[in-house]
Each structure stands twice: as C-alpha cells, then as structure tokens.
Amino acid sequence: YREFEEYIFNNYDIKLLGINRKYYHSKRVAILSKKIAENLNLSLHDVKLATTIGLLHDIARFFEYDLFGKFNSQHFDHGKYGVKLLKENDYIKKYNVSEEDLDDLYAAIYYHNKYVISRKYQNNKFCKIIRDADKIDIIYLVSIHQNMITASIENYIKILIKENVLKKKMLKLKVIKS
C-alpha cells in the first residue's frame, strides 16, 4: 500500500472530495478482493495479486478527476488508461508483481469497467474478482451517498442480481443511476 499512497499523496490533493472518495474506494476494493480470493481458497500468491489488482483497478481515476474535474467522463476509459499508466516507465515494478502475473493484472484492470470481456479473459479469476469487489463497494457507496432507504437498497440488490449475476453480465450504468 505504501507505493499507492505515495503516488496519490505526491500527485493529488486528497482533500478534494472526488480524490478522497476514490482513494478510500480503492483501499476498500483491495480488501474486498482479498476477502473474495481467500473465500475462494486461492493460493497466498493469488490472494496477494487479487489484492494488488483491487488497489490499482482505479488508478487512472485520479488523473481523470484532475483532467475533467469529475468521474465517468464519456471521453476517458479509465480501465484502458490505468493499464497504460502502470506500464509507463515500468511503474508496476514498484508493486512487486512478477512478469508471469502481468497479463492477469493488466487484463483485470483493463476489463473491470467494460460491459463485455473479451473471450480470452471471460474465465479469468482475477477479472471476475475485481468486477465483483468493485460492484460490492459501488453498492456501498450508492447506499451511503444517495441516502437510499432500505426498500430501495433491497430493490437495487434484486436488480443487480437479476441483471448481473444471473445473466453473467456487467451492470449497466443507467441501472445504477435509476
């Protein structure tokens, strides 16, 4: 976590609400990714990789916020840009990710925000873990920041299960905002 914190605190203003929220979201998603990997009885190596992916999955969001002053810009693919950022100047090496794990890490970060995953990565455990961990935290954020009542949360979870889990699809942004 030290490298991630140095990157954020040296390059961004943590006092800005958007930066602050994304910083804590990244930390929570890392914890959720770790818990999911542990519950799947993955090896310690894979648990560590899942945790690192969780921490780094939104690394490009900080740059996006600086660039546009908001998130969810239709002109910025933060999954794609996150991979680019991690590859630049071998920045990923600061996180001690082995060469043989880079493909899994880059695929998980690239596809975590995509509606469709390429056939090559559809069964990749790290792609699945990060997408699940990210959505779990998004449910948490939506419930807090929009002051949803209990009935709305239950309805939201039913929609999430129906649209995402049962059909094995990524939840559409319009469903989250409705």
Side-chain angles (χ1 to χ4, degrees):
Y1 283 53
R2 182 181 51 82
E3 291 298 336
F4 179 75
E5 292 193 356
E6 284 180 16
Y7 173 76
I8 301 305
F9 290 108
N10 289 337
N11 294 293
Y12 302 99
D13 183 358
I14 195 72
K15 294 176 192 160
L16 291 172
L17 184 60
I19 298 294
N20 188 281
R21 282 184 180 165
K22 198 51 66 177
Y23 169 73
Y24 286 106
H25 166 72
S26 297
K27 290 180 79 169
R28 285 190 306 271
V29 171
I31 292 166
L32 289 165
S33 295
K34 178 182 180 187
K35 287 180 180 182
I36 292 169
E38 288 172 339
N39 283 313
L40 291 171
N41 294 317
L42 299 184
S43 68
L44 179 60
H45 173 85
D46 285 356
V47 170
K48 288 179 179 180
L49 181 57
T51 305
T52 301
I53 291 167
L55 187 65
L56 298 175
H57 81 286
D58 270 353
I59 195 155
R61 287 292 207 180
F62 301 96
F63 177 77
E64 177 186 14
Y65 193 83
D66 255 8
L67 195 61
F68 298 104
K70 64 179 182 174
F71 298 118
N72 294 322
S73 169
Q74 294 180 2
H75 306 289
F76 189 82
D77 180 344
H78 73 278
K80 180 179 178 180
Y81 192 82
V83 171
K84 179 182 182 292
L85 202 160
L86 292 169
K87 287 180 176 182
E88 282 180 356
N89 302 316
D90 286 328
Y91 178 69
I92 191 60
K93 288 187 177 180
K94 293 184 178 221
Y95 293 90
N96 297 317
V97 176
S98 67
E99 283 290 322
E100 55 269 6
D101 290 331
L102 288 178
D103 187 54
D104 284 329
L105 179 132
Y106 292 143
I109 291 171
Y110 181 87
Y111 286 109
H112 89 273
N113 67 323
K114 307 296 185 286
Y115 187 65
V116 176
I117 299 177
S118 87
R119 179 169 280 168
K120 178 180 178 182
Y121 296 106
Q122 284 179 345
N123 293 316
N124 181 291
K125 62 189 166 193
F126 298 104
C127 288
K128 291 179 178 185
I129 290 169
I130 189 56
R131 289 161 67 95
D132 289 347
D134 194 30
K135 296 308 169 273
I136 290 167
D137 195 62
I138 288 170
I139 291 171
Y140 167 74
L141 290 171
V142 168
S143 69
I144 287 178
H145 297 296
Q146 293 186 0
N147 296 319
M148 295 173 65
I149 58 172
T150 304
S152 294
I153 293 171
E154 289 173 1
N155 187 47
Y156 181 79
I157 291 171
K158 286 178 187 175
I159 291 169
L160 177 71
I161 291 169
K162 181 181 174 188
E163 294 296 321
N164 192 25
V165 178
L166 297 179
K167 293 182 181 178
K168 297 182 180 179
K169 291 184 177 178
M170 180 99 163
L171 190 64
K172 292 183 180 179
L173 187 60
K174 69 179 183 179
V175 175
I176 293 171
K177 289 186 174 184
S178 66

